[in-house]
Amino acid sequence: RQMPMASLSAIVAAAYGALDFAAMDSGETFLRRTVPSGGGLYPLEIYLFLQRIDGMVDGLYHYDVIGHSLELILTGNKRAELQAAFYSYPFVAEANVILCHAAVFMRSQKKYGPRGYRYVLLEAGHSAQNICLAATELGLGSLCMGGFVDSELNRILKLAPQEEGVVYSVA
């Protein structure tokens, strides 16, 4: 069935949305978001495969945090391609949204070295939990999916190998 735009908006905002600007003791300001981030570096980029969303064209989108908007990357239903990428695909074939957390690894690793990878994974987990809570609040189901073919999903999203990659997804 169709998903209301308001439901999608609430889920995406919970996933990685901006809350406000906060001042630090140094006088600098930073953008507070719905999830904690090691060093406030926010290494994740959110990509969404959408189908049957009121007012939206089916396709692949990128979430613009500052504008709280979705940028269309590719039109059309990408479910045939996703079947080869997700091990749990039969369970999510009819999902309105498959949200992918892609990490730009150097955002965290430039400060924390190899440990930055761990922080990326923790952040993706915080975001996924928020998605599940928002979906439940809206009376929707959710399925967290760590089982996917990395190279295939990264290829579909056109991510740069060795620099960025999907670390978690939620339908």
Side-chain angles (χ1 to χ4, degrees):
R1 65 179 194 231
Q2 290 288 118
M3 175 185 273
M5 173 66 78
S7 296
L8 175 64
S9 180
I11 289 169
V12 175
Y16 216 54
L19 296 173
D20 59 19
F21 284 94
M24 296 172 35
D25 291 339
S26 66
E28 294 180 70
T29 60
F30 68 96
L31 182 63
R32 288 186 341 108
R33 296 198 194 176
T34 56
V35 297
S37 181
L41 300 172
Y42 296 100
L44 300 178
E45 295 292 332
I46 306 296
Y47 294 91
L48 304 97
F49 294 95
L50 303 181
Q51 68 178 359
R52 297 184 318 275
I53 305 291
D54 288 341
M56 302 287 294
V57 174
D58 289 359
L60 170 63
Y61 292 80
H62 174 260
Y63 179 49
D64 171 16
V65 174
I66 301 297
H68 185 60
S69 61
L70 296 177
E71 305 161 333
L72 180 61
I73 297 173
L74 295 169
T75 60
N77 190 312
K78 303 299 173 198
R79 301 305 164 147
E81 290 182 74
L82 295 178
Q83 188 169 1
F86 287 104
Y87 298 124
S88 56
Y89 183 78
F91 301 107
V92 299
E94 295 302 317
N96 297 91
V97 180
I98 296 177
L99 186 148
C100 298
H101 295 88
V104 180
F105 299 109
M106 285 310 294
R107 286 186 194 161
S108 288
Q109 290 180 320
K110 69 182 174 195
K111 181 173 183 176
Y112 296 111
R115 181 175 287 277
Y117 184 72
R118 182 179 306 162
Y119 298 149
V120 164
L121 298 178
L122 289 169
E123 191 164 326
H126 295 313
S127 175
Q129 180 66 37
N130 282 359
I131 293 165
C132 295
L133 290 170
T136 298
E137 184 177 302
L138 295 166
L140 302 171
S142 62
L143 179 65
C144 294
M145 302 180 296
F148 50 84
V149 181
D150 297 58
S151 59
E152 185 63 18
L153 190 51
N154 292 337
R155 182 194 63 75
I156 294 167
L157 294 173
K158 297 181 178 18
L159 302 180
Q162 309 268 327
E163 296 172 21
E164 55 187 341
V166 176
V167 294
Y168 205 10
S169 59
V170 183

